[in-house]
C-alpha cells in the first residue's frame, strides 16, 4: 500500500485513494460528494423558549440540489416525553441518528429506572453528531437542534450544534438550516421573555413562513396538498404536536395579514 504525507492522506475515501495512486484517473474530484450524489437535505428548523416551555418547529421540504425530493419530510421528532430533536443537513444520516438517539434514551430509562437528565440528553446527542464527523467532511453534515423541558430546573431549554459535535445552549431561540438567517431574524424581532405558548407558536409559524418566502429550499404551508410544518410544544406535561387544522388557521391569519399589507400599498 502507498504511503501519504499527513496533508495528502485520502483517509477512508476509497475513490480518492484510487485517484491519487492513478488507478482511476477519470473519476472527477468531488464525484462522491453529497451534492453530486443527490442526497436529500433537510432545511429550516427553529426553536424558542416561552414562559413555561419550548416550541420547536420545522418545514417539510427536502431538496436534492435544485430539486424538491420530498414535500412531507418530518424534521421535528419527539426524542422522549420531555424533549425533541429538529434536524437540518443530510436527511439519511440525520434520521438514522435520531432513531438511535431515541433508542438510547429508552434503553437508559429501562436500565436505570429513571430518565436521563435533559443536560445528559444534550451531551449524548453531541457525541452522536461528533461521531458523524467523517461523513460531514464528505458533505453529509447533520446539524440538529435539541430542545426540551428541564424537570430539575422547571424551565424550557434548547441547544444547537456544529458539525464537530460542539453543543451550545441558547438562552432564548435558535434557528438552523438554509433559511435560518430569515427565520432567526423574524424570531429575534418578535421575541419577548414573557411570550405565552400561543404567541410562541405563532412566532415560529411566522418565522418559517418568511424563511420559505426568501429561501427556495424551505417549504411553506401547502393548503392545496394539506401540508403544514411540524410544530410541537414541550412543557411540564410533555410533548404536544399541533395538528394540521390548528396550523391551517394560524397560517390563514398570516396570509390575511400579508394580503392586507399588499392592499395598503
Amino acid at each position: 500500500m502507498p504511503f501519504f504525507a499527513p496533508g495528502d492522506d485520502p483517509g477512508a475515501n476509497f475513490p480518492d485513494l484510487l485517484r491519487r495512486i492513478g488507478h482511476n484517473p477519470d473519476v472527477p474530484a468531488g464525484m462522491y460528494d453529497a451534492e453530486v450524489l443527490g442526497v436529500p437535505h433537510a432545511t429550516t428548523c427553529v426553536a424558542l423558549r416561552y414562559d413555561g416551555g419550548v416550541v420547536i418547529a420545522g418545514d417539510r421540504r427536502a431538496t436534492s440540489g435544485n430539486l424538491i425530493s420530498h414535500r412531507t419530510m418530518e424534521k421535528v421528532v419527539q426524542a422522549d416525553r420531555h424533549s425533541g430533536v429538529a434536524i437540518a443537513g443530510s436527511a439519511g444520516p440525520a434520521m438514522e441518528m435520531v432513531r438511535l438517539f431515541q433508542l438510547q434514551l429508552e434503553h437508559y430509562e429501562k436500565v436505570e429506572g429513571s430518565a436521563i437528565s435533559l443536560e445528559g440528553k444534550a451531551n449524548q446527542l453531541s457525541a452522536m453528531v461528533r461521531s458523524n464527523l467523517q461523513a460531514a467532511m464528505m458533505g453529509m453534515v447533520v446539524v440538529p437542534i435539541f430542545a426540551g423541558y428541564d424537570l430539575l430546573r422547571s424551565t424550557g431549554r434548547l441547544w444547537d450544534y456544529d458539525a464537530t459535535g460542539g453543543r451550545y445552549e441558547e438562552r432564548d431561540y435558535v434557528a438552523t438550516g438554509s433559511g435560518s438567517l430569515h427565520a432567526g431574524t423574524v424570531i429575534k424581532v418578535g421575541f419577548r421573555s414573557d411570550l405565552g405558548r400561543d404567541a410562541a407558536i405563532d412566532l415560529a409559524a411566522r418565522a418559517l413562513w418568511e424563511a420559505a418566502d426568501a429561501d427556495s429550499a424551505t417549504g411553506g404551508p401547502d393548503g392545496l396538498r394539506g401540508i403544514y410544518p411540524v410544530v410541537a410544544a414541550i412543557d411540564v406535561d410533555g410533548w404536544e404536536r399541533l395538528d394540521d387544522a390548528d396550523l391551517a388557521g394560524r397560517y390563514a391569519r398570516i396570509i390575511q395579514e400579508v394580503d392586507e399589507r399588499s392592499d395598503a400599498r
Side-chain angles (χ1 to χ4, degrees), residues 228-260:
Y228 295 92
V230 177
V231 183
I234 312 171
D235 57 19
V236 66
D237 295 322
W239 168 281
E240 182 185 357
R241 175 174 169 172
L242 275 72
D243 59 37
D244 285 347
D246 186 330
L247 291 171
R250 295 176 190 271
Y251 277 109
R253 291 193 292 272
I254 291 175
I255 292 171
Q256 182 178 359
E257 292 173 11
V258 172
D259 286 342
E260 289 174 354

Side-chain angles (χ1 to χ4, degrees), residues 104-127:
Q104 288 185 340
L105 297 185
E106 183 179 352
H107 176 72
Y108 180 94
E109 186 169 352
K110 287 181 177 179
V111 171
E112 299 295 331
S114 61
I116 190 172
S117 68
L118 194 68
E119 187 94 22
K121 297 172 191 175
N123 288 337
Q124 181 62 41
L125 186 56
S126 174

Side-chain angles (χ1 to χ4, degrees), residues 29-113:
M31 176 178 173
Y32 295 92
D33 290 346
E35 289 297 328
V36 179
L37 288 173
V39 175
H41 279 68
T43 45
T44 308
C45 299
V46 300
L48 67 151
R49 296 178 64 239
Y50 66 88
D51 185 16
V54 293
V55 169
I56 185 167
D59 78 302
R60 305 287 295 276
R61 178 175 293 177
T63 58
S64 298
N66 64 328
L67 300 177
I68 299 174
S69 55
H70 299 284
R71 299 181 187 274
T72 58
M73 181 180 176
E74 299 202 356
K75 307 168 192 177
V76 177
V77 182
Q78 181 179 4
D80 65 2
R81 182 181 176 188
H82 287 97
S83 65
V85 182
I87 58 167
S90 297
M95 296 310 298
E96 181 182 4
M97 185 181 297
V98 169
R99 286 193 292 269
L100 182 57
F101 183 54
Q102 292 170 320
L103 183 62
Q104 288 185 340
L105 297 185
E106 183 179 352
H107 176 72
Y108 180 94
E109 186 169 352
K110 287 181 177 179
V111 171
E112 299 295 331

Side-chain angles (χ1 to χ4, degrees), residues 183-202:
T185 300
V186 171
I187 296 178
K188 180 179 181 179
V189 171
F191 184 83
R192 304 188 313 275
S193 59
D194 60 347
L195 277 178
R197 179 180 181 275
D198 277 347
I201 292 171
D202 284 341

Side-chain angles (χ1 to χ4, degrees), residues 205-225:
R206 169 74 72 171
L208 292 178
W209 169 277
E210 297 295 346
D213 188 51
D215 173 45
S216 62
T218 303
D222 188 339
L224 180 63
R225 298 182 176 90

